[in-house]
Amino acid sequence: MAHDRMTETNEYGNKTTGIDEYLYWGGLVRPSVLRQKDYSFLSIMEYQPFSVDIEQPFIERDFCAGWGIWNEHHYIKGGETGKDYLVVFWHPFLSSTQALVENTLGRKSVHAKNNEEIINYFASEVQRILQDLQGVTTARLLEYQEILDVLYFSLSLEENTPVMPEIPLYLDVLLSQDLSFRFEANDIFINDKRAFVVSILAPVDTKRIYKELASAYPGVAVTFRHVRRFMFFNEAQAKKNFHKYTSKWFPARSVIRKMATEDILGKYNGYLTDTFIFYLTEEQDEAFSKNFAWLLDELQASYIVERFNLKQVFWGACIGNYQANQFPPLVGLQTLPEIMTATVTQKEKEKENVLENAKKQLVQTTVDVEGIMADMQDEEAE
């Protein structure tokens, strides 16, 4: 729960050399549970892409601040498809009395000073989420070396993961010690490859992007990572946050204000980041970056090729680094598959014949025109 130096993302700078200082990864405290250095926890599931109706109940939880997910799509050049992972994250918050954890789901009582109880609680929630996911697709919980494989790839975009030690601690050092990082004013180089980072600002056809990248559409086949991170707020937290930064929107135009804000909040609310990450050699850089931007333009995507905010975006996309790149606007979702590798469908509702309904609602009336005219004439005669 302590807010220590490691979590201060504004310290990321050009002279950073000890990358492990800025990674949150600590050690495995269960086969499938990673405890981070700030006492937060995460678990990773691998799953197959799926289809679900937007009205279908799916992972329905009262998520709140301190909970988050990373949806990871990892693709290695030459492969037909990538792999998809769902990372479940939880940072326990102490109650005002310091006795209980206040951000459990369903108001479950968990004692703050009982380490085993906290870990067991998180592991049980992960199992429940896994069961929900298995209800719509093939999914499994990763353990031990598999977790290290995903973490290492997310940082290096390489497969040669270090072997898990007998005591799986200090994973921040283990998974970064053989990587070369160089930070410049608006660039990051990992193993002498430039990090080309693109933020997606609105929903886009990711299946098309994956397909084109796998077919080397941009002119160069590359390994890449696509990550969507969602940090939750519950309903009360979302409304408070939302009203805080929209308080000055259209102050004298209440109708316009209502129109602009009424559809923003959803069933799940929080901060969403959507990021494609590539590491490009000098030979790949110009052609790939130009052609990938052309692809996004063709899809009419709203996006930013990150430069000024590159470090915030890069570290915010790193699994477990939940404090970096947390900024408004608030985003509302109706179902979590909207940010997963999934197809969200909606059953067609019967189209109403507006004209027929209007006719049915009409009340038949008759008007005695001649009688009205006669009455008017009598009034004039009087």
Side-chain angles (χ1 to χ4, degrees):
M1 294 74 167
H3 185 74
D4 57 24
R5 176 181 181 276
M6 186 250 338
T7 64
E8 296 289 352
T9 58
N10 61 359
E11 293 190 26
Y12 296 136
N14 299 343
K15 298 181 181 180
T16 299
T17 55
I19 299 303
D20 58 282
E21 294 183 22
Y22 304 108
L23 294 172
Y24 283 55
W25 308 330
L28 297 178
V29 293
R30 293 285 189 278
S32 58
V33 176
L34 170 67
R35 174 176 163 176
Q36 303 208 108
K37 294 185 292 187
D38 66 341
Y39 205 77
S40 59
F41 301 90
L42 63 83
S43 290
I44 305 176
M45 308 168 194
E46 182 179 5
Y47 70 92
Q48 296 296 317
F50 60 95
S51 178
V52 65
D53 186 80
I54 195 170
E55 301 294 339
Q56 180 179 341
F58 180 80
I59 311 184
E60 295 194 323
R61 306 285 190 279
D62 186 20
F63 289 111
C64 57
W67 289 87
I69 60 174
W70 276 255
N71 188 81
E72 296 270 336
H73 180 81
H74 295 176
Y75 175 79
I76 299 172
K77 66 178 181 180
E80 293 185 6
T81 59
K83 292 184 177 181
D84 297 287
Y85 305 96
L86 182 68
V87 180
V88 180
F89 167 88
W90 179 49
H91 187 194
F93 295 159
L94 292 181
S95 64
S96 57
T97 63
Q98 303 283 305
L100 297 174
V101 177
E102 66 177 7
N103 63 334
T104 57
L105 303 182
R107 300 182 181 276
K108 183 177 176 62
S109 296
V110 175
H111 293 89
K113 295 183 180 180
N114 190 325
N115 187 58
E116 288 298 308
E117 186 176 345
I118 291 175
I119 297 173
N120 289 338
Y121 165 73
F122 176 68
S124 68
E125 290 293 355
V126 169
Q127 284 293 337
R128 290 178 59 213
I129 293 173
L130 176 64
Q131 290 172 6
D132 286 354
L133 187 56
Q134 289 173 332
V136 296
T137 187
T138 301
R140 66 188 186 90
L141 196 58
L142 302 189
E143 297 184 352
Y144 294 124
Q145 182 68 48
E146 295 174 315
I147 294 176
L148 272 65
D149 292 342
V150 173
L151 295 178
Y152 184 74
F153 184 90
S154 71
L155 185 63
S156 67
L157 295 189
E158 296 178 357
E159 292 184 283
N160 53 332
T161 311
V163 176
M164 187 187 76
E166 184 176 351
I167 301 177
L169 299 177
Y170 307 107
L171 299 185
D172 54 339
V173 176
L174 176 70
L175 300 179
S176 64
Q177 62 187 357
D178 295 327
L179 301 177
S180 168
F181 278 76
R182 187 172 85 253
F183 292 83
E184 297 185 358
N186 292 314
D187 280 311
I188 301 174
F189 292 86
I190 299 92
N191 290 346
D192 296 323
K193 296 180 180 179
R194 186 175 76 89
F196 177 60
V197 178
V198 179
S199 293
I200 305 297
L201 307 180
V204 68
D205 186 357
T206 53
K207 286 186 176 179
R208 167 79 184 278
I209 295 176
Y210 295 166
K211 181 180 178 180
E212 299 292 0
L213 289 172
S215 64
Y217 170 86
V220 182
V222 296
T223 296
F224 72 90
R225 172 177 172 242
H226 177 212
V227 54
R228 283 174 281 199
R229 185 192 70 178
F230 195 79
M231 304 305 299
F232 292 96
F233 293 114
N234 63 22
E235 183 178 1
Q237 293 163 344
K239 287 182 178 179
K240 181 179 179 180
N241 180 283
F242 179 70
H243 290 306
K244 182 178 180 180
Y245 76 83
T246 62
S247 60
K248 296 184 180 180
W249 289 13
F250 312 109
R253 297 289 187 270
S254 59
V255 174
I256 296 177
R257 173 185 170 82
K258 182 179 179 182
M259 292 174 61
T261 61
E262 62 182 354
D263 294 328
I264 294 179
L265 296 181
K267 189 173 183 179
Y268 303 99
N269 301 290
Y271 290 156
L272 172 67
T273 60
D274 188 338
T275 314
F276 279 88
I277 299 176
F278 311 87
Y279 297 168
L280 304 177
T281 64
E282 187 175 351
E283 294 75 18
Q284 296 171 328
D285 200 333
E286 182 177 358
F288 181 89
S289 55
K290 179 180 179 181
N291 289 335
F292 185 68
W294 191 91
L295 171 61
L296 295 179
D297 290 338
E298 186 181 64
L299 295 174
Q300 299 183 352
S302 178
Y303 67 95
I304 296 175
V305 176
E306 297 292 352
R307 297 302 300 273
F308 182 75
N309 289 320
L310 175 64
K311 298 179 182 68
Q312 278 281 354
V313 174
F314 177 84
W315 290 112
C318 187
I319 295 175
N321 284 32
Y322 64 97
Q323 289 197 340
N325 199 29
Q326 279 215 55
F327 303 106
L330 201 70
V331 173
L333 305 174
Q334 294 307 312
T335 181
L336 293 184
E338 291 182 61
I339 56 171
M340 298 174 66
T341 309
T343 301
V344 179
T345 60
Q346 187 169 12
K347 294 180 180 178
E348 290 189 10
K349 298 180 179 180
E350 294 184 5
K351 295 181 179 179
E352 297 181 354
N353 189 318
V354 179
L355 184 58
E356 289 297 324
N357 288 341
K359 287 181 178 178
K360 292 177 183 179
Q361 295 175 17
L362 292 176
V363 178
Q364 187 173 0
T365 60
T366 57
V367 178
D368 184 1
V369 178
E370 294 181 357
I372 293 175
M373 294 295 293
D375 291 341
M376 293 175 64
Q377 291 174 359
D378 290 341
E379 291 177 359
E380 291 176 359
E382 293 177 359

